[in-house]
PDB file of all heavy atoms in Angstrom:
ATOM      1  N   ASP I 105     128.687 -17.954 -53.348  1.00 93.00           N
ATOM      2  CA  ASP I 105     129.344 -19.269 -53.278  1.00 93.00           C
ATOM      3  C   ASP I 105     129.637 -19.819 -54.667  1.00 93.00           C
ATOM      4  O   ASP I 105     130.636 -20.511 -54.867  1.00 93.00           O
ATOM      5  CB  ASP I 105     128.467 -20.262 -52.509  1.00 93.00           C
ATOM      6  CG  ASP I 105     128.465 -19.979 -51.017  1.00 93.00           C
ATOM      7  OD1 ASP I 105     129.354 -19.242 -50.558  1.00 93.00           O
ATOM      8  OD2 ASP I 105     127.573 -20.496 -50.316  1.00 93.00           O
ATOM      9  N   LYS I 106     128.762 -19.519 -55.631  1.00 93.00           N
ATOM     10  CA  LYS I 106     128.964 -19.976 -57.006  1.00 93.00           C
ATOM     11  C   LYS I 106     130.239 -19.369 -57.578  1.00 93.00           C
ATOM     12  O   LYS I 106     131.066 -20.070 -58.184  1.00 93.00           O
ATOM     13  CB  LYS I 106     127.757 -19.578 -57.864  1.00 93.00           C
ATOM     14  CG  LYS I 106     127.915 -19.798 -59.356  1.00 93.00           C
ATOM     15  CD  LYS I 106     128.057 -21.250 -59.724  1.00 93.00           C
ATOM     16  CE  LYS I 106     128.059 -21.433 -61.231  1.00 93.00           C
ATOM     17  NZ  LYS I 106     128.348 -22.839 -61.624  1.00 93.00           N
ATOM     18  N   LEU I 107     130.425 -18.066 -57.375  1.00 94.00           N
ATOM     19  CA  LEU I 107     131.635 -17.402 -57.850  1.00 94.00           C
ATOM     20  C   LEU I 107     132.866 -17.957 -57.144  1.00 94.00           C
ATOM     21  O   LEU I 107     133.883 -18.239 -57.788  1.00 94.00           O
ATOM     22  CB  LEU I 107     131.540 -15.890 -57.603  1.00 94.00           C
ATOM     23  CG  LEU I 107     132.778 -15.057 -57.932  1.00 94.00           C
ATOM     24  CD1 LEU I 107     133.100 -15.149 -59.418  1.00 94.00           C
ATOM     25  CD2 LEU I 107     132.582 -13.606 -57.509  1.00 94.00           C
ATOM     26  N   TYR I 108     132.772 -18.122 -55.836  1.00 93.00           N
ATOM     27  CA  TYR I 108     133.901 -18.629 -55.044  1.00 93.00           C
ATOM     28  C   TYR I 108     134.314 -20.016 -55.531  1.00 93.00           C
ATOM     29  O   TYR I 108     135.497 -20.314 -55.683  1.00 93.00           O
ATOM     30  CB  TYR I 108     133.519 -18.684 -53.567  1.00 93.00           C
ATOM     31  CG  TYR I 108     134.685 -18.915 -52.645  1.00 93.00           C
ATOM     32  CD1 TYR I 108     135.402 -17.852 -52.109  1.00 93.00           C
ATOM     33  CD2 TYR I 108     135.088 -20.217 -52.315  1.00 93.00           C
ATOM     34  CE1 TYR I 108     136.493 -18.068 -51.272  1.00 93.00           C
ATOM     35  CE2 TYR I 108     136.171 -20.441 -51.485  1.00 93.00           C
ATOM     36  CZ  TYR I 108     136.861 -19.367 -50.955  1.00 93.00           C
ATOM     37  OH  TYR I 108     137.937 -19.580 -50.135  1.00 93.00           O
ATOM     38  N   GLN I 109     133.329 -20.860 -55.800  1.00 93.00           N
ATOM     39  CA  GLN I 109     133.602 -22.226 -56.255  1.00 93.00           C
ATOM     40  C   GLN I 109     134.333 -22.219 -57.592  1.00 93.00           C
ATOM     41  O   GLN I 109     135.309 -22.963 -57.782  1.00 93.00           O
ATOM     42  CB  GLN I 109     132.292 -22.993 -56.387  1.00 93.00           C
ATOM     43  CG  GLN I 109     132.456 -24.416 -56.900  1.00 93.00           C
ATOM     44  CD  GLN I 109     131.120 -25.123 -57.057  1.00 93.00           C
ATOM     45  OE1 GLN I 109     130.082 -24.630 -56.628  1.00 93.00           O
ATOM     46  NE2 GLN I 109     131.153 -26.281 -57.683  1.00 93.00           N
ATOM     47  N   GLU I 110     133.888 -21.390 -58.520  1.00 93.00           N
ATOM     48  CA  GLU I 110     134.515 -21.350 -59.844  1.00 93.00           C
ATOM     49  C   GLU I 110     135.932 -20.790 -59.780  1.00 93.00           C
ATOM     50  O   GLU I 110     136.810 -21.199 -60.543  1.00 93.00           O
ATOM     51  CB  GLU I 110     133.666 -20.503 -60.807  1.00 93.00           C
ATOM     52  CG  GLU I 110     132.299 -21.077 -61.114  1.00 93.00           C
ATOM     53  CD  GLU I 110     132.362 -22.412 -61.837  1.00 93.00           C
ATOM     54  OE1 GLU I 110     133.424 -22.740 -62.402  1.00 93.00           O
ATOM     55  OE2 GLU I 110     131.346 -23.132 -61.854  1.00 93.00           O
ATOM     56  N   LEU I 111     136.165 -19.871 -58.865  1.00 93.00           N
ATOM     57  CA  LEU I 111     137.480 -19.234 -58.767  1.00 93.00           C
ATOM     58  C   LEU I 111     138.515 -20.096 -58.052  1.00 93.00           C
ATOM     59  O   LEU I 111     139.691 -20.096 -58.420  1.00 93.00           O
ATOM     60  CB  LEU I 111     137.361 -17.885 -58.039  1.00 93.00           C
ATOM     61  CG  LEU I 111     136.755 -16.718 -58.820  1.00 93.00           C
ATOM     62  CD1 LEU I 111     136.515 -15.536 -57.905  1.00 93.00           C
ATOM     63  CD2 LEU I 111     137.673 -16.313 -59.979  1.00 93.00           C
ATOM     64  N   PHE I 112     138.077 -20.835 -57.031  1.00 92.00           N
ATOM     65  CA  PHE I 112     139.055 -21.482 -56.157  1.00 92.00           C
ATOM     66  C   PHE I 112     139.069 -23.006 -56.212  1.00 92.00           C
ATOM     67  O   PHE I 112     139.893 -23.637 -55.562  1.00 92.00           O
ATOM     68  CB  PHE I 112     138.824 -21.026 -54.711  1.00 92.00           C
ATOM     69  CG  PHE I 112     139.114 -19.558 -54.508  1.00 92.00           C
ATOM     70  CD1 PHE I 112     138.081 -18.638 -54.458  1.00 92.00           C
ATOM     71  CD2 PHE I 112     140.416 -19.102 -54.405  1.00 92.00           C
ATOM     72  CE1 PHE I 112     138.346 -17.281 -54.294  1.00 92.00           C
ATOM     73  CE2 PHE I 112     140.697 -17.758 -54.231  1.00 92.00           C
ATOM     74  CZ  PHE I 112     139.658 -16.842 -54.173  1.00 92.00           C
ATOM     75  N   THR I 113     138.169 -23.607 -57.004  1.00 89.00           N
ATOM     76  CA  THR I 113     138.189 -25.062 -57.150  1.00 89.00           C
ATOM     77  C   THR I 113     139.076 -25.447 -58.325  1.00 89.00           C
ATOM     78  O   THR I 113     138.829 -25.011 -59.453  1.00 89.00           O
ATOM     79  CB  THR I 113     136.768 -25.614 -57.389  1.00 89.00           C
ATOM     80  OG1 THR I 113     135.917 -25.221 -56.315  1.00 89.00           O
ATOM     81  CG2 THR I 113     136.805 -27.132 -57.500  1.00 89.00           C
ATOM     82  N   PRO I 114     140.119 -26.235 -58.112  1.00 83.00           N
ATOM     83  CA  PRO I 114     141.005 -26.634 -59.220  1.00 83.00           C
ATOM     84  C   PRO I 114     140.245 -27.404 -60.289  1.00 83.00           C
ATOM     85  O   PRO I 114     139.309 -28.148 -59.990  1.00 83.00           O
ATOM     86  CB  PRO I 114     142.044 -27.529 -58.531  1.00 83.00           C
ATOM     87  CG  PRO I 114     142.013 -27.126 -57.092  1.00 83.00           C
ATOM     88  CD  PRO I 114     140.581 -26.753 -56.816  1.00 83.00           C
ATOM     89  N   ASN I 115     140.632 -27.209 -61.536  1.00 78.00           N
ATOM     90  CA  ASN I 115     139.997 -27.917 -62.643  1.00 78.00           C
ATOM     91  C   ASN I 115     140.465 -29.359 -62.658  1.00 78.00           C
ATOM     92  O   ASN I 115     141.665 -29.638 -62.689  1.00 78.00           O
ATOM     93  CB  ASN I 115     140.349 -27.229 -63.970  1.00 78.00           C
ATOM     94  CG  ASN I 115     139.530 -27.760 -65.130  1.00 78.00           C
ATOM     95  OD1 ASN I 115     139.600 -28.943 -65.461  1.00 78.00           O
ATOM     96  ND2 ASN I 115     138.755 -26.893 -65.738  1.00 78.00           N
ATOM     97  N   MET I 116     139.535 -30.306 -62.656  1.00 76.00           N
ATOM     98  CA  MET I 116     139.881 -31.721 -62.546  1.00 76.00           C
ATOM     99  C   MET I 116     140.586 -32.259 -63.793  1.00 76.00           C
ATOM    100  O   MET I 116     141.257 -33.280 -63.755  1.00 76.00           O
ATOM    101  CB  MET I 116     138.621 -32.544 -62.255  1.00 76.00           C
ATOM    102  CG  MET I 116     137.569 -32.503 -63.327  1.00 76.00           C
ATOM    103  SD  MET I 116     136.078 -33.432 -62.877  1.00 76.00           S
ATOM    104  CE  MET I 116     136.738 -35.085 -62.752  1.00 76.00           C
TER     105      MET I 116
END
Side-chain angles (χ1 to χ4, degrees):
D105 287 344
K106 171 65 174 174
L107 175 62
Y108 192 90
Q109 178 182 351
E110 295 296 342
L111 285 171
F112 294 101
T113 303
N115 190 299
M116 63 183 297

